[in-house]
Amino acid sequence: MSYVDEVLAKVIEKNPAEPEFHQAVKEVLDSIRPVVDANEELYRKNAILERLVEPDRQFKFRVAWVDDKGQAQVNTGYRVQFNNSIGPYKGGLRLHPSVYAGIIKFLGFEQVFKNSLTGLPIGGGKGGSDFDPKGKSDREVMAFCQAFMTELAKYIGADIDVPAGDIGTGAREIGFMYGQYKRIKNLYEGVLTGKGLSYGGSLARTEATGYGLLYLTEELLKMNNIDIAGKTCAVSGSGNVAIYATEKAHQLGAKVVTCSDSTGWVYDPDGIDVAALKEIKEVKRARLTEYKKYRPNAEYHDKATEGTNQWSVKVDIALPCATQNELNLEDAKALVANGVIAVCEGANMPTTLEATEYLQEKGVIFAPGKAANAGGVATSALEMSQNSERLSWTFEEVDSKLKGIMVNIAHNISDAAEKYGMPGNYVAGANIAGFEKVVDAMLAQGIC
Ligand code: NDP
């Protein structure tokens, strides 16, 4: 059995009932086979792959808080510190009822390679809780965030581990958590990113993941002699990544005609109205059923009753920006039948393995999340730099650095794929380019 297959089998045996983690490890290890084969003796001797798939440490803790009725509630909190070979752990906090150890581990594992790809000194980590902020009052969200941070504060720090937002964790939650950290530690330091502008946040961080996705998409298309202007796009999700991906796509001359949430999706043939979307999602925290009130010509489709989704619409570019495994083989077939030319992942692992392989076989330009959505964490690292300097950069300064980073990633993943004889395979390119830097650092630092 090959070294890769041995380690894959061990991961499944040692981490039963964590299918998302198995999926992420399989995708990475499968695509770095050429590098592993070329260095097998060295990697085996240093247990490189075994160390890569085993987090440095994992915390799981009780989060007890009191709801508005005076009832005590209990959630489970997680933080996985996966690998700090190239810098302090860095990765978001997901607040969603689906969160369990396997989700946090898959996200933490992906984060190691993504952070490496940014070219910045940040290691990989991830955390979160099965708490659902939906339908909770501001006071309840604050009570949860304070209880969560009371425990998390023991394990993080500006030079140790710097969490950020993710699904369910936006500016409000980061604010409550930062306040609690400061109160417990009596330290004013850049321990979280995605902070508000009045207390150490970076301009352009809110926009960064969505904007970065479009900078990378634009560059990959350009490298394939395709102009993004005039193209039609389907976006899924209507959260932070989806909103700013849509905004930047429109600025680049493309037209986004869909958005979605967990219950339904919208088709707006005139192009999604970003101002309306921001008001519905960022201000009112409402459902997408509201969208028709702003744009009577748009269609709202209920996922449960119709059994359809946004991937059935004829578009040139698909940008999944909601959650893991939201684009399956059937969706991929529908997109290809409609002539899609590129699928670029704004979310983490939104495309199933079978769908990814199918899209690649059909010659669709496919950009994996760890490259395509790296703009968020890259800008978080820029926020850390500003906090260390006690300075704030302008929007234009941060945005131009972000663009430079995304353009570099596009070229690096393309070059790595080419170097190992897989031109155009950006999944392999991203995994190899991310892996090479981390392994270099691991080898230099000895067995630890
Ligand atoms: P938000 O919480 O802001 O938005 C998430 C969106 O996805 C919402 O529209 C939500 O709909 C939808 N969604 C969430 N879970 C599901 C589900 N199980 N099924 C269908 N739809 C779902 O999160 P973000 O925009 O921040 O994150 C989106 C993705 O991007 C995630 O995969 C995240 O890990 C990834 N990402 C985010 C970064 C960031 O900077 N924010 C950075 C890099 C990656 P509803 O409201 O109905 O739940």
Side-chain angles (χ1 to χ4, degrees), residues 92 94-96 98 106-107 111 114 126 132 134 164-170 205-206 208-210 236-243 260-264 281 286-288 303 320-324 326 345-350 369 372-377 380:
R94 177 171 294 191
L95 301 183
H96 193 272
S98 63
F106 115 65
L107 290 164
Q111 198 81 44
K114 181 192 304 190
K126 197 82 190 186
D132 187 356
K134 253 185 244 150
D166 191 70
I167 291 179
T169 306
R205 174 61 187 94
T206 305
T209 309
S236 63
S238 49
N240 173 267
V241 180
I243 290 174
S260 70
D261 61 19
S262 45
T263 36
K281 287 293 173 181
R287 307 304 296 164
L288 273 183
K303 286 184 188 170
C321 297
T323 193
Q324 64 275 354
E326 52 156 321
E345 298 185 324
N348 284 312
M349 210 168 75
N373 68 33
V377 74
S380 277

Side-chain angles (χ1 to χ4, degrees), residues 74-359:
V74 177
N75 289 102
T76 308
Y78 301 87
R79 186 72 185 165
V80 175
Q81 297 180 337
F82 224 105
N83 187 306
N84 68 350
S85 303
I86 63 169
Y89 306 104
K90 179 100 199 80
L93 297 170
R94 177 171 294 191
L95 301 183
H96 193 272
S98 63
V99 163
Y100 77 106
I103 294 270
I104 300 298
K105 274 162 73 181
F106 115 65
L107 290 164
F109 183 72
E110 289 276 296
Q111 198 81 44
V112 174
F113 306 95
K114 181 192 304 190
N115 292 4
S116 166
L117 277 175
T118 65
L120 300 169
I122 36 177
K126 197 82 190 186
S129 172
D130 57 359
F131 172 76
D132 187 356
K134 253 185 244 150
K136 305 287 191 302
S137 70
D138 282 352
R139 196 211 60 81
E140 287 176 324
V141 171
M142 180 170 75
F144 167 82
C145 289
Q146 290 180 339
F148 180 76
M149 183 50 86
T150 301
E151 186 63 23
L152 188 68
K154 296 171 187 163
Y155 317 118
I156 61 176
D159 293 313
I160 302 168
D161 181 355
V162 184
D166 191 70
I167 291 179
T169 306
R172 174 181 61 170
E173 290 75 17
I174 292 287
F176 292 147
M177 290 182 196
Y178 191 72
Q180 185 72 352
Y181 181 84
K182 200 175 52 118
R183 192 174 176 199
I184 295 171
K185 294 276 191 148
N186 197 25
L187 268 179
Y188 207 101
E189 60 171 2
V191 69
L192 293 171
T193 57
K195 299 187 291 299
L197 294 177
S198 57
Y199 64 96
S202 174
L203 284 161
R205 174 61 187 94
T206 305
E207 295 83 356
T209 309
Y211 277 24
L213 169 66
L214 267 295
Y215 291 144
L216 181 122
T217 303
E218 182 190 29
E219 192 64 20
L220 286 183
L221 290 176
K222 211 189 280 176
M223 288 157 65
N224 287 277
N225 302 314
I226 302 166
D227 190 353
I228 192 167
K231 299 289 177 292
T232 308
C233 311
V235 165
S236 63
S238 49
N240 173 267
V241 180
I243 290 174
Y244 292 95
T246 304
E247 183 167 280
K248 182 52 76 178
H250 290 174
Q251 286 171 12
L252 296 177
K255 183 164 79 169
V256 175
V257 293
T258 71
C259 62
S260 70
D261 61 19
S262 45
T263 36
W265 61 282
V266 162
Y267 173 62
D268 186 341
D270 302 325
I272 294 293
D273 180 340
V274 178
L277 197 58
K278 283 185 184 174
E279 191 168 312
I280 296 165
K281 287 293 173 181
E282 292 183 341
V283 182
K284 296 184 175 166
R285 296 182 189 276
R287 307 304 296 164
L288 273 183
T289 37
E290 291 269 307
Y291 187 84
K292 259 183 94 67
K293 290 187 192 156
Y294 295 79
R295 304 275 276 199
N297 282 343
E299 297 167 13
Y300 177 81
H301 297 273
D302 185 276
K303 286 184 188 170
T305 52
E306 294 185 23
T308 57
N309 68 27
Q310 62 289 329
W311 311 130
S312 58
V313 174
K314 180 172 169 48
V315 289
D316 303 307
I317 301 169
L319 302 168
C321 297
T323 193
Q324 64 275 354
N325 293 328
E326 52 156 321
L327 196 164
N328 62 26
L329 184 58
E330 246 176 69
D331 301 322
K333 286 183 175 166
L335 285 168
V336 168
N338 280 326
V340 77
I341 50 180
V343 175
C344 301
E345 298 185 324
N348 284 312
M349 210 168 75
T351 316
T352 63
L353 278 175
E354 305 77 54
T356 303
E357 281 162 15
Y358 179 80
L359 292 166

